[in-house]
Amino acid sequence: MSSTWTLARRAHKMNPSVIREILKVTEKPGIISFAGGLPSPKTFPVEAFAAACETVLRTDGRAALQYAASEGYRPLCEWVAASMPWDVSADQVLITTGSQQGLDLVAKVLIDEGSKVLVETPTYLGALQAFTPMEPAIVSVDSDAEGVDVDDLAAKAEGARFFYVLPNFQNPTGRSMSEARRQALVERASALGLPLVEDNPYGDLWFDQPPPKPLTARNPEGCIYLGSFSKVLAPGLRLGYVIAPKAIMPKLLQAKQAADLHSPSFNQRMVSEVLKDGFIDRHVPTIRALYKSQCAAMLEALKTEMAGLDVVWNSPDGGMFLWVRLPAGMSAVELLPKAVDKGVAFVPGAAFYADHADPRTLRLSFVTASVELIHIGIAALAQAIREAAKG
């Protein structure tokens, strides 16, 4: 007996994550990986969660292990609302299974087949994966070191459902949008009637100065805001959140109910327990200090090892990534296997473009390798570039 399975059209548009495929390569012994967007496991507050686990099970175990409200655990929603630098009601907060689910819910609620969706150049690969099955027309908006080109956004905005943007320590580039550019973006988007979807998983990971206030704080009714506990606590908990205007929250909630009923109630209660008494204000500075030292090590290694190679890179003020551009005529995709042969891995930048990819770009993550391994890995990458340049 046999059956014939007919895939939905959207299924044909689903593609494997380039990053996830590369991570399989990095599992080989001896590979120094700058590829993954993984937080450093050194930052995970294991002891705090061990204590929270015991407390939650002892004081509220049966409720923690039961089905729960789709909106999320109310005290956690209230904590999220209170932590925002603008007036947010807990009723505007939806707890999600990672902020990646937030992107999926936004796509389901706002995108029809053929809908125009605007994104930065380049943009987060996971957002492209979340949006693409809904069959939109994804259009890249020009960007530079300060962020989005507001004039180009205005030229492409007609008919767009929303503009997806990461203002803080962007994945993949590590850049942050300037104060002037943020204000100009919000004012122009508001004038155009263009909604903004602001994704901010890295905003707390600043090194010396916090970034300017969120786009959503400037126009709460015109923005959807996505946040995550993955980068400040632990990604394995799979908890994020969406903050949305009251007009759109019911549909996001309905999409959430259809997707998974609710995010794990036990995990939500553990996070809520950990967060009480100001834990996050004590914990996050330790992450910032670690990542700042590792970023400085990578920048130092790049300056030393890439001398004379016509390689350029940026210097992020926070986050987990920096962005590299190879010499003219070189391809990061073609360079990758040569680099892996020398024991180092990265993510080619082409995967992060909705269109007109720059093949010379690549993303480096500096947060999971030690300072010693960062120097060794960058030296190996430089040697691979030298050999590739020679043909």
Side-chain angles (χ1 to χ4, degrees):
M1 298 178 64
S2 64
S3 298
T4 301
W5 297 94
T6 302
L7 294 177
R9 184 171 57 197
R10 73 180 65 87
H12 291 286
K13 295 181 177 294
M14 296 176 182
N15 294 303
S17 167
V18 172
I19 298 172
R20 296 288 165 181
E21 295 302 312
I22 291 173
L23 287 177
K24 294 178 184 178
V25 175
T26 68
E27 293 173 357
K28 296 179 180 178
I31 298 292
I32 298 172
S33 178
F34 303 138
L38 311 176
S40 171
K42 294 179 181 178
T43 67
F44 301 162
V46 176
E47 293 78 10
F49 275 111
C53 179
E54 191 278 332
T55 299
V56 168
L57 289 176
R58 174 171 45 82
T59 62
D60 208 14
R62 297 189 188 281
L65 298 175
Q66 182 59 280
Y67 286 117
S70 299
E71 292 88 341
Y73 182 49
R74 185 68 181 190
L76 186 58
C77 293
E78 291 172 350
W79 185 93
V80 170
S83 69
M84 294 298 117
W86 72 97
D87 186 23
V88 178
S89 164
D91 293 332
Q92 294 176 261
V93 178
L94 177 63
I95 302 298
T96 57
T97 306
S99 61
Q100 185 68 25
Q101 185 183 54
L103 294 170
D104 179 69
L105 300 180
V106 166
K108 289 175 178 175
V109 168
L110 295 181
I111 299 175
D112 289 313
E113 178 187 350
S115 299
K116 184 194 291 187
V117 172
L118 305 180
V119 299
E120 296 174 277
T121 305
T123 191
Y124 171 49
L125 171 60
L128 297 177
Q129 287 185 291
F131 300 158
T132 297
M134 299 299 106
E135 304 183 79
I138 301 178
V139 177
S140 291
V141 177
D142 292 345
S143 306
D144 58 26
E146 286 191 66
V148 61
D149 182 328
V150 177
D151 290 335
D152 192 55
L153 175 75
K156 296 172 178 176
E158 184 177 0
R161 293 292 174 89
F162 60 84
F163 174 47
Y164 170 71
V165 58
L166 298 96
N168 299 323
F169 319 124
Q170 192 226 33
N171 183 357
T173 64
R175 71 185 174 212
S176 286
M177 193 176 298
S178 68
E179 167 61 30
R181 195 70 63 89
R182 290 173 196 239
Q183 192 61 30
L185 168 60
V186 170
E187 290 176 0
R188 188 71 68 90
S190 178
L192 293 167
L194 175 67
L196 302 178
V197 175
E198 179 178 15
D199 198 358
N200 188 30
Y202 308 101
D204 288 323
L205 304 181
W206 46 270
F207 296 156
D208 296 310
Q209 295 291 331
K213 68 181 179 180
L215 307 175
T216 309
R218 304 160 196 259
N219 184 18
E221 293 303 309
C223 301
I224 294 175
Y225 182 92
L226 288 82
S228 175
F229 294 108
S230 293
K231 308 305 186 294
V232 295
L233 289 177
L237 296 167
R238 304 310 305 130
L239 288 180
Y241 50 89
V242 174
I243 299 174
K246 293 179 180 178
I248 197 172
M249 179 57 78
K251 287 301 175 184
L252 290 169
L253 177 59
Q254 291 164 21
K256 168 72 175 174
Q257 291 168 341
D260 65 357
L261 301 184
H262 64 84
S263 297
S265 53
F266 178 68
N267 291 12
Q268 292 187 61
R269 287 168 186 261
M270 277 210 304
V271 167
S272 183
E273 177 68 21
V274 166
L275 290 173
K276 72 179 187 180
D277 301 327
F279 173 83
I280 203 74
D281 295 327
R282 301 188 299 273
H283 176 63
V284 172
T286 67
I287 305 176
R288 294 177 189 140
L290 176 64
Y291 290 180
K292 180 181 178 179
S293 67
Q294 290 170 300
C295 181
M298 184 168 282
L299 292 171
E300 179 185 353
L302 285 166
K303 182 178 180 180
T304 299
E305 301 295 342
M306 301 294 174
L309 288 180
D310 196 26
V311 175
V312 295
W313 57 89
N314 62 342
S315 299
D317 297 318
M320 298 168 52
F321 310 107
L322 58 80
W323 195 238
V324 176
R325 196 158 189 252
L326 298 170
M330 196 170 290
S331 163
V333 172
E334 294 175 0
L335 178 67
L336 178 59
K338 299 173 182 178
V340 170
D341 286 343
K342 295 192 177 298
V344 63
F346 57 82
V347 180
F352 299 96
Y353 290 82
D355 51 41
H356 303 100
D358 183 347
R360 295 166 58 186
T361 57
L362 60 93
R363 188 191 77 178
L364 299 177
S365 173
F366 47 78
V367 303
T368 53
S370 67
V371 168
E372 179 183 8
L373 289 179
I374 285 172
H375 283 275
I376 294 171
I378 294 299
L381 177 60
Q383 186 58 33
I385 295 171
R386 288 189 191 90
E387 293 180 6
K390 293 177 181 178

